[in-house]
Amino acid sequence: MMHESRLKSLLDDRESGAPATRIVRIMSERGALSAAQIARLTGLARSTVSMALAELRQSGIVVEVPGGEEAAKGVGRPATALTLNPEAGTCIGLHMSLDDIQLVVADVSHSVIAEQNIAMQRDYSPEEAAAATKAAVERTYRENGLSACGLLGVGVSVSAPVSPDGTVQRASIVPTWAGVNIRDAFEPVFGSPILADNESNCAAIAEMMWGAAIGCEDFVLFKIDLGVGGAIVSGGRVMTGIAGGAGEFGHLSLDPDGDLCRCGNRGCLELTASFNRPLEQLSRLYGRRMTMDDAIRLAEQGDVGARRLIEDTAAVAGRGLALVGTLINPPLIIIGGRMALAGDILLAPLVAAYEKHTLIKARDVAERLRTRITIGKFTENDKLLGAVGLVLRHHGRLD
Ligand SMILES: [Zn+2]
């Protein structure tokens, strides 16, 4: 109980710049670290870090990771890995889907404590979402013996652009949410800080904190799913744009005479690079409703038609991604979304199309200057983990 409130006040202290504050904020963002890593990341002197850590360990806010020497390999003898005390604070991640809400509870040592799906009626309102999640959170905390006063914040992932103040700009998955301010809807119910962002931005945060982009401060996430989305990370920050629209690669309007898109423009990349239409074709062919998982399974089993649909769609997506490459020339591109589960079946034609259409081609430059394109680590639950990351990183930023 005591170290819960102490941790909260240390994390909330943005002004003092005291060593203890800076250390707990970087540990909240990064998870387990050695003293040497903390010194490097905070820029504090080793002796200052040692002194502050001794005090934080004594008061139970920082603890040793059991068997954690492996986790924090340094030069020379193995260093002790330290982490925030898992009992000192929790955070919640939420993802709003079409007819359910996914919930995850994690602690400040970056361990997931509980995960849950809350079934909802389609077109549920923000108020219904807040009430249902609050009830589920209370139940989960009770079942796991957690104290509600350790809650540091709630991260909310939404399938729509979200402006920096938390307002949903356009909402295709949850149409009635356009114009809703997530903070206003959730803060009175939870009484904790609420952080909201677009699902692809959340996915990028998850990959940056724990996945395929660890240690990479500049990269692009490109999501291929029933829609196409993305995120741009620059200098360790997810670019939101002034109204939250940055990285919406699916709505690059490529053909002014093309079909109407759900966003109101014509000829958007999403219409041809997402798996909506290929699945319709596959469903017609097989006479039953096919999902992305079905398409992947069929392709893996050698179904020529399913494989061809994935390859062709990947090639269109790769051509769209090549525009992003020409604009940004990032060192790393992570492919996310459900279709990323197709692995090389998707990646090979996508990379070939990217190489063909982008400006800087891998074959023309030294290996260290090449854009690496890889499948994400958390394609199935990246948005949800990233929602937790919103909270941990919000506290971890040294603004
Ligand atoms: Zn569009």
Side-chain angles (χ1 to χ4, degrees), residues 39-204:
R40 198 171 62 245
L41 289 164
T42 55
L44 293 166
R46 278 295 296 267
S47 54
T48 313
V49 170
S50 297
M51 239 156 62
L53 277 175
E55 193 271 323
L56 288 167
R57 288 174 72 166
Q58 200 172 14
S59 56
I61 291 178
V62 166
V63 294
E64 247 176 64
V65 180
E69 283 80 5
E70 277 304 299
K73 277 204 191 91
V75 181
R77 71 194 156 86
T80 310
L82 301 164
T83 171
L84 293 177
N85 186 342
E87 289 170 16
T90 50
C91 30
I92 293 167
L94 300 171
H95 174 67
M96 306 292 151
S97 287
L98 191 57
D99 43 23
D100 70 355
I101 297 172
Q102 289 127 47
L103 162 84
V104 63
V105 181
D107 65 41
V108 284
S109 75
H110 294 203
S111 293
V112 170
I113 300 169
E115 271 184 90
Q116 201 188 325
N117 275 24
I118 309 161
M120 300 293 290
Q121 300 281 352
R122 282 200 178 195
D123 285 335
Y124 56 88
S125 70
E127 291 72 29
E128 287 165 341
T133 47
K134 170 77 172 170
V137 162
E138 281 176 350
R139 203 170 48 243
T140 307
Y141 272 57
R142 213 169 37 242
E143 283 167 7
N144 290 278
L146 301 169
S147 143
C149 66
L151 177 59
L152 298 170
V154 181
V156 184
S157 149
V158 192
S159 306
V162 178
S163 69
D165 76 340
T167 305
V168 178
Q169 297 305 312
R170 285 170 168 275
S172 48
I173 301 290
V174 276
T176 48
W177 286 43
V180 166
N181 186 293
I182 303 264
R183 281 187 193 162
D184 294 349
F186 282 75
E187 226 156 49
V189 179
F190 279 95
S192 294
I194 307 293
L195 295 111
D197 209 337
N198 167 261
E199 60 170 19
S200 294
N201 290 350
C202 289

Side-chain angles (χ1 to χ4, degrees), residues 250-253 260-271:
H251 300 285
L252 286 165
S253 178
L260 200 61
C261 176
R262 61 188 168 113
C263 74
N265 278 336
R266 278 181 181 276
C268 289
L269 176 64
E270 175 171 291
L271 294 171

Side-chain angles (χ1 to χ4, degrees), residues 20 49 54 70-71 112 116 170 179 186 189-190 193 219 237 249 254-255 260 300 302 312 332 347 349 374 385:
V49 170
E70 277 304 299
V112 170
Q116 201 188 325
R170 285 170 168 275
F186 282 75
V189 179
F190 279 95
F219 67 98
R237 284 169 177 274
F249 306 132
L254 301 177
D255 178 4
L260 200 61
E300 284 169 349
D312 288 354
L332 173 68
L347 198 61
T374 181
L385 292 175

Side-chain angles (χ1 to χ4, degrees), residues 166 176 181 184 224 247 249 289 294 316-317 341 347 378 382:
T176 48
N181 186 293
D184 294 349
I224 309 177
F249 306 132
R289 201 177 146 265
D294 294 331
V316 176
L341 294 173
L347 198 61
F378 302 114
D382 51 8

